[in-house]
Amino acid sequence: MGEVRAITEIEPMITTTHMNHKVDAFIGRAKKWQQELEKLRSIILDCGLAEDLKWGKPCYTFQGNNIVLLLPLKEHCSVLVFKGGLLNDPKGILYRPTENTQAQRQIRFTSFGQITEMETVLKEYIYEAIEVEKAGLKVDLKPITERVIPDELLSKFDEFPVLKTAFASLTPGRQRAYLLHFSAPKQSKTRETRIEKCIPQILSGKGLSD
């Protein structure tokens, strides 16, 4: 009996109660990174998180709160940490998905062997993310006044003062979404087109996704 307990402690098993059949189907349909996804799934579940499918991707939660998301992308397979901006990063493995991302961070992998080598480190980061959630910590998001407003939008504000007033009346979250949407294109003409398409929504007091 002593040997059985020792083996169990060294090689913790995934409990099927934490697994979700929707994720089985997701991985089965994946055209790339199947082996890597299965390995990452095993590591994450071994940390005691519950599994679900959200936004079409495998999502792992603690007491109903999102902790990490699996993202099979073209160049790499990533573990997205929802509050990664609050984690310590002694190994320097946390990547900001975009320059405007405030809370989320990615841990990226390009091979099965890399995941195997980093299993212990990955678990440490996941456990810290769980502790962050337990403590109820929140990411201190930049207020809208600290965000850069595209020149194209400033021009529209000068042209239509009512638009500036309507935009200022939106909730900070809606303003933030619009600014990210408007700032994303590299070409000025594309930014201007996006703004013009959204003017009716802004004047109606609606958000980008309303």
Side-chain angles (χ1 to χ4, degrees):
M1 292 298 291
E3 290 185 26
V4 173
R5 284 196 296 271
I7 291 173
T8 302
E9 290 170 2
I10 295 172
E11 300 177 0
M13 300 297 291
I14 299 174
T15 57
T16 55
T17 55
H18 286 166
M19 299 179 76
N20 189 302
H21 71 277
K22 294 179 182 178
V23 176
D24 292 330
F26 174 88
I27 295 177
R29 292 193 302 268
K31 297 180 179 179
K32 192 176 182 181
W33 309 115
Q34 277 194 356
Q35 188 180 20
E36 288 80 7
L37 287 170
E38 286 287 8
K39 181 62 176 178
L40 289 172
R41 180 191 197 189
S42 173
I43 293 171
I44 295 169
L45 286 174
D46 203 29
C47 293
L49 297 179
E51 185 176 67
D52 200 353
L53 198 70
K54 297 184 179 182
W55 308 287
K57 302 292 188 295
C59 183
Y60 299 85
T61 64
F62 174 78
Q63 295 181 352
N65 296 309
N66 300 325
I67 303 297
V68 297
L69 192 77
L70 278 184
L71 293 173
L73 303 172
K74 183 178 180 180
E75 301 297 332
H76 51 78
C77 187
S78 296
V79 175
L80 183 143
V81 186
F82 283 92
K83 293 184 179 179
L86 297 179
L87 301 188
N88 295 311
D89 187 18
K91 302 295 184 180
I93 61 174
L94 294 177
Y95 292 86
R96 194 187 294 260
T98 71
E99 63 181 33
N100 293 310
T101 302
Q102 297 190 65
Q104 300 173 352
R105 296 292 186 273
Q106 289 180 358
I107 304 175
R108 298 171 178 175
F109 302 95
T110 56
S111 70
F112 183 86
Q114 185 185 19
I115 296 171
T116 301
E117 291 175 3
M118 292 182 60
E119 179 170 349
T120 300
V121 172
L122 178 56
K123 284 185 176 181
E124 289 173 357
Y125 277 66
I126 293 173
Y127 284 135
E128 185 179 354
I130 295 172
E131 291 303 316
V132 163
E133 195 59 46
K134 285 182 179 179
L137 301 181
K138 304 291 184 183
V139 177
D140 186 17
L141 299 175
K142 289 182 180 179
I144 197 68
T145 53
E146 295 184 20
R147 288 187 171 274
V148 176
I149 299 177
D151 290 340
E152 294 80 6
L153 183 57
L154 290 175
S155 295
K156 289 296 179 183
F157 285 164
D158 291 339
E159 187 177 352
F160 304 109
V162 66
L163 177 63
K164 182 176 182 179
T165 301
F167 190 84
S169 299
L170 297 173
T171 63
R174 285 173 172 167
Q175 292 181 18
R176 187 179 301 113
Y178 275 123
L179 291 182
L180 290 175
H181 180 63
F182 296 154
S183 301
K186 294 182 179 181
Q187 295 187 356
S188 176
K189 182 62 178 178
T190 306
R191 292 195 294 271
E192 187 174 349
T193 299
R194 285 193 176 190
I195 292 168
E196 290 176 351
K197 286 183 178 180
C198 291
I199 286 177
Q201 282 179 266
I202 295 172
L203 294 177
S204 299
K206 296 180 180 180
L208 185 63
S209 303
D210 292 347

